[in-house]
Amino acid sequence: MKYFKPVFRGIKKPFKFLKVFLKQKAGWLDVPKILPYKGYGNETDVFIEGMVIEDKGLTKPKDNQQLWQNILATFKRFSSDEIPGVKVKAEFLHEKQIATTDEKGFFSFHFYLPDKKNELLTKEWHTVHLSLLDQIVENQPQIYTTGEVRITSGNQSRIIVSDIDDTVMISHSTQTLRKLRLMLLKNALTRLPFPGVAQFYQSLNHGKEKQENNPFFYVSSSEWNLYDLLEDFFSFNKLPKGVFLLRKLNNSIYKFWKSGGGNHDHKYKKIKALLKFYPQQKFILIGDSGQQDPSIYSKIAFEFPGRIEAIYIRRIRSKSFAEKQENLDEKLLEVQTLYTEVKDTIQAARHASKNGLINAGVPSEIKN
Protein backbone atom coordinates (compact mmCIF):
# COMPACT_ATOMS: atom_id res chain seq x y z
CA MET A 1 0.00 0.00 0.00
CA LYS A 2 1.48 3.33 -1.10
CA TYR A 3 1.44 6.38 1.16
CA PHE A 4 -0.74 9.19 -0.10
CA LYS A 5 1.10 12.22 -1.48
CA PRO A 6 -0.66 15.29 -2.89
CA VAL A 7 -0.35 15.98 -6.61
CA PHE A 8 -1.56 19.46 -7.52
CA ARG A 9 -1.24 19.13 -11.28
CA GLY A 10 -4.63 19.59 -12.98
CA ILE A 11 -6.37 20.48 -9.73
CA LYS A 12 -8.64 23.52 -10.15
CA LYS A 13 -9.01 24.14 -6.41
CA PRO A 14 -5.66 23.26 -4.78
CA PHE A 15 -6.72 24.73 -1.41
CA LYS A 16 -9.09 21.76 -0.97
CA PHE A 17 -6.24 19.36 -1.66
CA LEU A 18 -3.99 21.35 0.66
CA LYS A 19 -6.58 21.25 3.46
CA VAL A 20 -6.74 17.45 3.34
CA PHE A 21 -2.96 17.19 3.18
CA LEU A 22 -2.50 19.45 6.23
CA LYS A 23 -5.16 17.57 8.20
CA GLN A 24 -3.36 14.36 7.33
CA LYS A 25 0.01 15.66 8.48
CA ALA A 26 -1.48 16.99 11.71
CA GLY A 27 -3.18 13.67 12.43
CA TRP A 28 -6.64 15.21 12.29
CA LEU A 29 -7.88 13.27 9.27
CA ASP A 30 -10.29 10.47 10.11
CA VAL A 31 -9.90 6.98 8.66
CA PRO A 32 -11.06 7.01 5.02
CA LYS A 33 -13.81 4.90 3.55
CA ILE A 34 -14.94 4.00 0.06
CA LEU A 35 -18.55 4.94 -0.64
CA PRO A 36 -19.74 3.14 -3.79
CA TYR A 37 -22.88 4.20 -5.63
CA LYS A 38 -25.05 1.73 -7.50
CA GLY A 39 -23.72 1.37 -11.02
CA TYR A 40 -25.47 0.46 -14.23
CA GLY A 41 -24.76 -1.28 -17.49
CA ASN A 42 -26.07 -2.87 -20.67
CA GLU A 43 -24.92 -5.95 -22.55
CA THR A 44 -21.36 -4.65 -23.14
CA ASP A 45 -20.65 -1.58 -20.99
CA VAL A 46 -20.70 -1.01 -17.22
CA PHE A 47 -20.32 2.28 -15.35
CA ILE A 48 -19.41 2.46 -11.65
CA GLU A 49 -18.93 5.58 -9.51
CA GLY A 50 -18.23 6.42 -5.91
CA MET A 51 -16.25 8.56 -3.49
CA VAL A 52 -13.40 8.24 -1.05
CA ILE A 53 -14.17 10.33 2.06
CA GLU A 54 -13.15 10.46 5.68
CA ASP A 55 -15.42 8.33 7.83
CA LYS A 56 -17.44 10.57 10.12
CA GLY A 57 -19.18 7.62 11.76
CA LEU A 58 -22.68 8.04 10.33
CA THR A 59 -24.92 5.33 11.74
CA LYS A 60 -28.23 3.92 10.61
CA PRO A 61 -31.16 6.13 11.66
CA LYS A 62 -33.85 5.24 14.20
CA ASP A 63 -37.47 6.35 14.16
CA ASN A 64 -37.19 7.59 17.76
CA GLN A 65 -33.88 9.36 17.18
CA GLN A 66 -33.49 12.62 19.07
CA LEU A 67 -33.53 15.91 17.16
CA TRP A 68 -29.92 16.78 17.99
CA GLN A 69 -28.85 13.44 16.49
CA ASN A 70 -30.65 14.26 13.23
CA ILE A 71 -29.03 17.70 13.12
CA LEU A 72 -25.59 16.21 13.78
CA ALA A 73 -26.08 13.62 11.02
CA THR A 74 -26.94 16.37 8.52
CA PHE A 75 -23.79 18.32 9.38
CA LYS A 76 -21.67 15.17 9.14
CA ARG A 77 -22.96 14.52 5.63
CA PHE A 78 -21.91 17.95 4.43
CA SER A 79 -18.71 18.37 6.46
CA SER A 80 -16.80 15.17 5.66
CA ASP A 81 -13.65 15.84 3.68
CA GLU A 82 -13.38 14.11 0.34
CA ILE A 83 -9.98 12.54 -0.35
CA PRO A 84 -8.58 13.64 -3.73
CA GLY A 85 -5.71 12.08 -5.65
CA VAL A 86 -5.84 8.54 -4.24
CA LYS A 87 -6.02 5.29 -6.18
CA VAL A 88 -8.98 2.89 -6.04
CA LYS A 89 -9.04 -0.58 -7.58
CA ALA A 90 -12.23 -2.13 -8.94
CA GLU A 91 -12.75 -5.80 -9.74
CA PHE A 92 -15.78 -6.72 -11.81
CA LEU A 93 -16.37 -10.12 -13.42
CA HIS A 94 -12.66 -10.93 -12.92
CA GLU A 95 -11.61 -7.74 -14.72
CA LYS A 96 -9.53 -5.13 -12.84
CA GLN A 97 -9.11 -1.39 -13.23
CA ILE A 98 -7.48 1.39 -11.21
CA ALA A 99 -8.78 4.96 -11.01
CA THR A 100 -7.61 8.10 -9.20
CA THR A 101 -10.08 10.25 -7.29
CA ASP A 102 -10.65 13.77 -8.58
CA GLU A 103 -10.45 16.97 -6.54
CA LYS A 104 -13.85 16.22 -4.98
CA GLY A 105 -12.94 12.64 -4.06
CA PHE A 106 -14.91 11.00 -6.88
CA PHE A 107 -13.81 7.98 -8.87
CA SER A 108 -15.39 6.37 -11.89
CA PHE A 109 -14.87 3.18 -13.87
CA HIS A 110 -15.99 2.13 -17.34
CA PHE A 111 -15.74 -1.58 -18.06
CA TYR A 112 -16.12 -2.57 -21.71
CA LEU A 113 -16.97 -6.29 -21.73
CA PRO A 114 -18.16 -7.38 -25.19
CA ASP A 115 -16.96 -10.95 -24.56
CA LYS A 116 -18.91 -11.30 -21.30
CA LYS A 117 -22.44 -10.63 -22.52
CA ASN A 118 -23.76 -14.01 -21.41
CA GLU A 119 -22.24 -13.61 -17.95
CA LEU A 120 -23.62 -10.08 -17.63
CA LEU A 121 -27.13 -11.26 -18.46
CA THR A 122 -27.19 -14.10 -15.92
CA LYS A 123 -28.72 -11.74 -13.36
CA GLU A 124 -29.92 -8.17 -13.01
CA TRP A 125 -27.65 -7.11 -10.13
CA HIS A 126 -23.93 -7.88 -10.03
CA THR A 127 -21.30 -7.22 -7.35
CA VAL A 128 -18.22 -5.04 -7.80
CA HIS A 129 -15.28 -5.22 -5.35
CA LEU A 130 -13.46 -2.00 -4.48
CA SER A 131 -10.26 -1.43 -2.52
CA LEU A 132 -8.12 1.58 -1.61
CA LEU A 133 -4.49 1.34 -2.74
CA ASP A 134 -3.05 4.33 -0.85
CA GLN A 135 -2.31 4.74 2.84
CA ILE A 136 -3.85 8.00 4.01
CA VAL A 137 -3.60 7.88 7.82
CA GLU A 138 -1.29 6.18 10.28
CA ASN A 139 -2.13 2.57 11.17
CA GLN A 140 -4.75 2.50 8.44
CA PRO A 141 -6.47 -0.89 8.09
CA GLN A 142 -7.18 -2.38 4.70
CA ILE A 143 -9.99 -0.35 3.13
CA TYR A 144 -12.34 -2.29 0.89
CA THR A 145 -16.04 -2.65 0.17
CA THR A 146 -18.51 -3.97 -2.38
CA GLY A 147 -21.04 -2.23 -4.59
CA GLU A 148 -23.85 -3.23 -6.92
CA VAL A 149 -24.41 -2.82 -10.65
CA ARG A 150 -27.81 -3.00 -12.39
CA ILE A 151 -27.64 -4.65 -15.85
CA THR A 152 -30.41 -3.90 -18.35
CA SER A 153 -30.61 -6.13 -21.41
CA GLY A 154 -31.82 -5.14 -24.86
CA ASN A 155 -34.93 -7.26 -24.28
CA GLN A 156 -36.07 -4.98 -21.47
CA SER A 157 -38.90 -2.89 -22.91
CA ARG A 158 -39.17 0.01 -20.47
CA ILE A 159 -37.12 2.17 -18.08
CA ILE A 160 -38.60 4.49 -15.45
CA VAL A 161 -36.82 7.72 -14.54
CA SER A 162 -38.07 9.59 -11.49
CA ASP A 163 -37.20 12.77 -9.67
CA ILE A 164 -37.03 12.50 -5.85
CA ASP A 165 -37.78 15.75 -4.00
CA ASP A 166 -41.51 16.58 -4.07
CA THR A 167 -42.05 13.69 -6.48
CA VAL A 168 -41.37 10.72 -4.20
CA MET A 169 -40.35 12.38 -0.93
CA ILE A 170 -42.09 15.40 0.59
CA SER A 171 -39.32 18.03 0.61
CA HIS A 172 -40.86 21.49 0.17
CA SER A 173 -38.07 22.32 -2.28
CA THR A 174 -39.59 25.67 -3.21
CA GLN A 175 -40.01 26.80 0.42
CA THR A 176 -36.59 27.30 2.00
CA LEU A 177 -37.57 27.39 5.68
CA ARG A 178 -39.80 24.30 5.51
CA LYS A 179 -37.15 22.50 3.47
CA LEU A 180 -34.46 23.39 6.03
CA ARG A 181 -36.63 22.16 8.89
CA LEU A 182 -37.02 18.75 7.21
CA MET A 183 -33.30 18.48 6.46
CA LEU A 184 -32.28 19.25 10.04
CA LEU A 185 -34.98 17.65 12.15
CA LYS A 186 -35.95 14.52 10.22
CA ASN A 187 -34.13 11.38 9.13
CA ALA A 188 -34.66 8.61 6.58
CA LEU A 189 -37.27 6.89 8.78
CA THR A 190 -39.22 10.00 9.68
CA ARG A 191 -39.19 11.74 6.29
CA LEU A 192 -42.50 11.11 4.52
CA PRO A 193 -43.20 9.80 1.02
CA PHE A 194 -46.26 10.93 -0.89
CA PRO A 195 -49.19 8.60 -0.14
CA GLY A 196 -49.35 5.59 -2.44
CA VAL A 197 -46.14 6.36 -4.32
CA ALA A 198 -44.38 3.13 -3.31
CA GLN A 199 -47.29 0.99 -4.50
CA PHE A 200 -47.55 2.93 -7.76
CA TYR A 201 -43.83 2.56 -8.44
CA GLN A 202 -43.98 -1.15 -7.63
CA SER A 203 -46.81 -1.46 -10.17
CA LEU A 204 -44.70 0.31 -12.80
CA ASN A 205 -41.82 -1.96 -11.87
CA HIS A 206 -43.92 -5.10 -12.47
CA GLY A 207 -45.63 -3.81 -15.62
CA LYS A 208 -48.98 -4.64 -17.20
CA GLU A 209 -48.66 -8.41 -16.90
CA LYS A 210 -46.94 -8.29 -13.50
CA GLN A 211 -44.06 -10.27 -15.03
CA GLU A 212 -41.58 -7.49 -15.71
CA ASN A 213 -38.85 -5.95 -13.59
CA ASN A 214 -38.51 -2.54 -15.19
CA PRO A 215 -35.34 -0.70 -14.13
CA PHE A 216 -35.61 2.51 -12.09
CA PHE A 217 -33.26 5.47 -12.23
CA TYR A 218 -33.70 8.23 -9.66
CA VAL A 219 -32.28 11.40 -11.22
CA SER A 220 -32.20 14.34 -8.83
CA SER A 221 -30.56 17.71 -8.24
CA SER A 222 -29.81 16.58 -4.69
CA GLU A 223 -26.13 16.08 -3.88
CA TRP A 224 -24.28 12.80 -3.39
CA ASN A 225 -23.82 13.81 0.27
CA LEU A 226 -27.43 12.69 0.83
CA TYR A 227 -26.90 9.26 -0.72
CA ASP A 228 -27.07 7.28 2.54
CA LEU A 229 -30.27 9.09 3.59
CA LEU A 230 -31.91 8.38 0.23
CA GLU A 231 -30.85 4.74 0.22
CA ASP A 232 -32.32 4.22 3.70
CA PHE A 233 -35.48 6.17 2.86
CA PHE A 234 -36.17 4.17 -0.31
CA SER A 235 -35.49 0.86 1.40
CA PHE A 236 -37.60 1.69 4.48
CA ASN A 237 -40.55 2.80 2.31
CA LYS A 238 -40.29 -0.24 0.01
CA LEU A 239 -39.69 1.75 -3.16
CA PRO A 240 -38.20 -0.15 -6.12
CA LYS A 241 -34.47 -0.68 -5.89
CA GLY A 242 -32.78 1.53 -8.45
CA VAL A 243 -29.76 3.57 -9.50
CA PHE A 244 -29.35 7.08 -8.10
CA LEU A 245 -27.91 9.78 -10.36
CA LEU A 246 -27.24 12.81 -8.17
CA ARG A 247 -24.80 15.69 -8.52
CA LYS A 248 -21.57 16.85 -6.93
CA LEU A 249 -21.74 19.33 -4.07
CA ASN A 250 -21.10 22.88 -5.26
CA ASN A 251 -21.69 24.64 -1.94
CA SER A 252 -19.86 24.52 1.38
CA ILE A 253 -21.15 23.20 4.69
CA TYR A 254 -22.28 26.78 5.40
CA LYS A 255 -24.66 26.65 2.43
CA PHE A 256 -25.96 23.08 2.80
CA TRP A 257 -29.49 24.45 2.89
CA LYS A 258 -29.13 25.17 -0.84
CA SER A 259 -29.04 21.42 -1.49
CA GLY A 260 -31.13 20.44 -4.51
CA GLY A 261 -31.45 24.00 -5.79
CA GLY A 262 -29.74 26.00 -8.47
CA ASN A 263 -29.31 24.98 -12.08
CA HIS A 264 -30.99 21.72 -13.10
CA ASP A 265 -29.07 21.06 -16.35
CA HIS A 266 -27.56 18.03 -14.58
CA LYS A 267 -30.92 16.24 -14.80
CA TYR A 268 -31.32 16.97 -18.48
CA LYS A 269 -27.81 15.71 -19.27
CA LYS A 270 -28.21 12.54 -17.19
CA ILE A 271 -31.56 11.58 -18.74
CA LYS A 272 -30.30 12.32 -22.25
CA ALA A 273 -27.26 10.11 -21.59
CA LEU A 274 -29.52 7.28 -20.41
CA LEU A 275 -31.63 7.47 -23.57
CA LYS A 276 -28.48 7.19 -25.67
CA PHE A 277 -27.04 4.40 -23.54
CA TYR A 278 -30.27 2.38 -23.74
CA PRO A 279 -31.41 3.00 -27.35
CA GLN A 280 -33.86 0.07 -27.48
CA GLN A 281 -35.98 0.98 -24.45
CA LYS A 282 -38.99 3.26 -24.01
CA PHE A 283 -38.93 5.62 -21.02
CA ILE A 284 -41.44 6.92 -18.49
CA LEU A 285 -40.47 10.21 -16.82
CA ILE A 286 -41.92 11.24 -13.45
CA GLY A 287 -41.41 14.60 -11.74
CA ASP A 288 -43.14 17.58 -10.17
CA SER A 289 -44.08 21.13 -11.14
CA GLY A 290 -42.06 22.81 -8.40
CA GLN A 291 -38.86 23.36 -10.36
CA GLN A 292 -37.93 22.55 -13.98
CA ASP A 293 -39.10 18.97 -14.52
CA PRO A 294 -41.90 19.86 -17.01
CA SER A 295 -39.59 21.85 -19.28
CA ILE A 296 -36.72 19.34 -19.00
CA TYR A 297 -38.94 16.33 -19.69
CA SER A 298 -40.78 17.94 -22.61
CA LYS A 299 -37.46 19.00 -24.16
CA ILE A 300 -36.24 15.40 -23.89
CA ALA A 301 -39.46 14.09 -25.49
CA PHE A 302 -39.06 16.40 -28.49
CA GLU A 303 -35.40 15.41 -28.90
CA PHE A 304 -36.21 11.68 -28.75
CA PRO A 305 -39.54 11.28 -30.59
CA GLY A 306 -41.28 7.99 -29.92
CA ARG A 307 -38.99 7.11 -27.00
CA ILE A 308 -40.89 8.74 -24.10
CA GLU A 309 -44.08 6.78 -23.44
CA ALA A 310 -45.43 9.00 -20.68
CA ILE A 311 -44.60 12.01 -18.54
CA TYR A 312 -46.18 12.34 -15.10
CA ILE A 313 -45.91 15.69 -13.31
CA ARG A 314 -47.08 15.95 -9.71
CA ARG A 315 -48.78 19.31 -9.29
CA ILE A 316 -47.51 21.22 -6.26
CA ARG A 317 -47.94 24.82 -5.12
CA SER A 318 -45.90 26.68 -7.71
CA LYS A 319 -47.38 27.53 -11.07
CA SER A 320 -46.72 24.65 -13.43
CA PHE A 321 -45.11 24.64 -16.81
CA ALA A 322 -48.22 23.04 -18.33
CA GLU A 323 -50.43 25.88 -17.09
CA LYS A 324 -48.18 28.31 -18.97
CA GLN A 325 -48.36 26.24 -22.16
CA GLU A 326 -51.92 25.02 -22.60
CA ASN A 327 -51.17 23.10 -25.77
CA LEU A 328 -48.17 21.19 -24.42
CA ASP A 329 -50.02 17.86 -24.21
CA GLU A 330 -51.22 18.19 -27.81
CA LYS A 331 -47.70 19.01 -28.99
CA LEU A 332 -46.27 16.02 -27.13
CA LEU A 333 -48.79 13.70 -28.75
CA GLU A 334 -47.04 14.51 -32.03
CA VAL A 335 -43.95 12.73 -30.67
CA GLN A 336 -46.06 9.89 -29.20
CA THR A 337 -45.78 11.02 -25.59
CA LEU A 338 -48.58 10.98 -23.03
CA TYR A 339 -48.24 14.08 -20.87
CA THR A 340 -50.34 14.53 -17.75
CA GLU A 341 -50.30 16.59 -14.60
CA VAL A 342 -51.69 14.83 -11.56
CA LYS A 343 -52.82 16.12 -8.18
CA ASP A 344 -52.09 12.83 -6.42
CA THR A 345 -50.77 9.30 -6.89
CA ILE A 346 -54.12 7.64 -7.49
CA GLN A 347 -54.77 9.90 -10.49
CA ALA A 348 -51.41 8.87 -11.98
CA ALA A 349 -52.17 5.20 -11.33
CA ARG A 350 -55.55 5.46 -13.05
CA HIS A 351 -53.94 7.04 -16.09
CA ALA A 352 -51.18 4.41 -16.18
CA SER A 353 -53.72 1.59 -15.87
CA LYS A 354 -55.88 3.03 -18.65
CA ASN A 355 -52.87 3.25 -20.96
CA GLY A 356 -51.50 -0.24 -20.27
CA LEU A 357 -48.45 0.78 -18.25
CA ILE A 358 -49.53 -1.13 -15.15
CA ASN A 359 -51.91 -3.99 -14.48
CA ALA A 360 -55.56 -3.19 -15.17
CA GLY A 361 -57.25 -1.48 -12.26
CA VAL A 362 -55.70 0.76 -9.62
CA PRO A 363 -53.94 -1.26 -6.90
CA SER A 364 -56.05 -1.23 -3.72
CA GLU A 365 -52.97 -0.30 -1.67
CA ILE A 366 -52.75 3.11 -3.36
CA LYS A 367 -54.59 5.46 -1.04
CA ASN A 368 -54.41 9.19 -0.65
Side-chain angles (χ1 to χ4, degrees):
M1 181 180 289
K2 297 181 180 179
Y3 200 77
F4 164 65
K5 293 181 179 179
V7 178
F8 292 91
R9 186 183 306 162
I11 298 296
K12 296 179 181 179
K13 298 180 179 180
F15 63 88
K16 178 68 175 178
F17 215 159
L18 181 61
K19 175 188 173 185
V20 174
F21 179 63
L22 293 176
K23 281 182 67 175
Q24 177 205 42
K25 289 300 182 183
W28 298 339
L29 194 66
D30 290 321
V31 174
K33 72 174 182 178
I34 303 171
L35 181 58
Y37 306 132
K38 287 186 174 65
Y40 62 94
N42 55 24
E43 297 176 355
T44 57
D45 296 80
V46 169
F47 292 95
I48 299 160
E49 292 184 318
M51 292 180 70
V52 177
I53 62 174
E54 62 174 334
D55 190 350
K56 288 291 187 179
L58 273 171
T59 58
K60 289 291 183 181
K62 300 176 182 177
D63 56 4
N64 61 347
Q65 194 162 281
Q66 296 183 34
L67 295 183
W68 71 266
Q69 293 175 305
N70 293 332
I71 294 172
L72 180 61
T74 297
F75 276 90
K76 283 183 175 182
R77 289 188 183 96
F78 287 91
S79 65
S80 292
D81 272 314
E82 305 87 10
I83 313 296
V86 294
K87 296 186 183 302
V88 178
K89 182 174 71 174
E91 297 183 48
F92 183 77
L93 296 185
H94 309 294
E95 299 288 331
K96 298 179 182 179
Q97 288 187 17
I98 295 175
T100 302
T101 57
D102 67 11
E103 62 187 27
K104 292 188 176 181
F106 282 83
F107 61 81
S108 61
F109 295 96
H110 174 199
F111 285 88
Y112 179 57
L113 306 167
D115 298 328
K116 296 195 174 185
K117 175 180 177 179
N118 292 336
E119 194 171 354
L120 281 169
L121 297 181
T122 56
K123 52 186 178 180
E124 292 170 339
W125 289 94
H126 287 265
T127 300
V128 57
H129 297 269
L130 300 160
S131 56
L132 185 62
L133 299 183
D134 290 307
Q135 182 179 344
I136 299 170
V137 297
E138 293 291 340
N139 302 316
Q140 176 180 303
Q142 184 178 0
I143 308 295
Y144 61 90
T145 189
T146 59
E148 294 182 284
V149 178
R150 183 26 157 125
I151 302 300
T152 301
S153 74
N155 295 326
Q156 192 78 49
S157 61
R158 182 178 297 121
I159 290 173
I160 294 92
V161 174
S162 174
D163 180 42
I164 297 174
D165 291 316
D166 290 323
T167 299
V168 175
M169 180 168 60
I170 298 172
S171 302
H172 303 301
S173 296
T174 60
Q175 302 172 65
T176 302
L177 291 179
R178 298 184 72 182
K179 167 186 166 183
L180 182 60
R181 180 178 179 274
L182 287 176
M183 289 183 67
L184 288 174
L185 305 183
K186 301 289 184 177
N187 61 46
L189 306 190
T190 54
R191 293 289 295 267
L192 296 177
F194 283 94
V197 70
Q199 293 81 8
F200 177 48
Y201 279 29
Q202 292 290 355
S203 296
L204 287 170
N205 177 234
H206 300 317
K208 182 179 180 180
E209 304 300 329
K210 295 187 176 182
Q211 301 294 321
E212 303 172 34
N213 190 9
N214 294 316
F216 269 76
F217 286 84
Y218 300 105
V219 182
S220 172
S221 293
S222 291
E223 288 80 5
W224 286 111
N225 304 64
L226 297 174
Y227 184 75
D228 71 293
L229 183 146
L230 295 176
E231 281 272 276
D232 291 337
F233 173 86
F234 274 68
S235 175
F236 179 73
N237 289 288
K238 297 180 172 56
L239 285 145
K241 182 178 177 180
V243 177
F244 290 93
L245 297 176
L246 310 180
R247 70 177 184 181
K248 295 181 180 180
L249 181 68
N250 292 321
N251 297 307
S252 69
I253 176 61
Y254 306 107
K255 297 181 180 180
F256 73 92
W257 50 272
K258 289 189 175 182
S259 173
N263 190 299
H264 297 272
D265 285 348
H266 146 84
K267 293 170 71 173
Y268 166 75
K269 293 176 181 178
K270 292 291 187 182
I271 297 171
K272 185 175 180 179
L274 287 174
L275 280 152
K276 291 182 176 181
F277 188 62
Y278 297 111
Q280 301 177 59
Q281 282 78 19
K282 297 288 186 71
F283 280 64
I284 295 174
L285 308 181
I286 308 174
D288 65 86
S289 63
Q291 295 177 320
Q292 298 177 26
D293 291 347
S295 57
I296 292 171
Y297 292 178
S298 58
K299 182 179 179 180
I300 288 287
F302 289 127
E303 289 186 14
F304 295 87
R307 296 285 310 282
I308 310 301
E309 281 187 298
I311 295 174
Y312 290 102
I313 299 295
R314 182 183 294 278
R315 188 184 307 122
I316 60 174
R317 281 189 173 187
S318 65
K319 190 173 183 180
S320 73
F321 182 80
E323 288 171 342
K324 297 177 184 177
Q325 297 194 12
E326 296 178 357
N327 297 324
L328 178 61
D329 54 347
E330 294 181 9
K331 292 179 181 178
L332 285 170
L333 284 175
E334 297 176 7
V335 289
Q336 300 175 315
T337 297
L338 298 171
Y339 180 96
T340 183
E341 281 202 17
V342 296
K343 64 178 181 179
D344 52 36
T345 306
I346 197 167
Q347 187 178 351
R350 285 172 178 160
H351 182 278
S353 175
K354 179 181 177 181
N355 289 280
L357 301 178
I358 64 175
N359 190 256
V362 178
S364 60
E365 298 87 354
I366 300 179
K367 299 177 182 179
N368 295 274

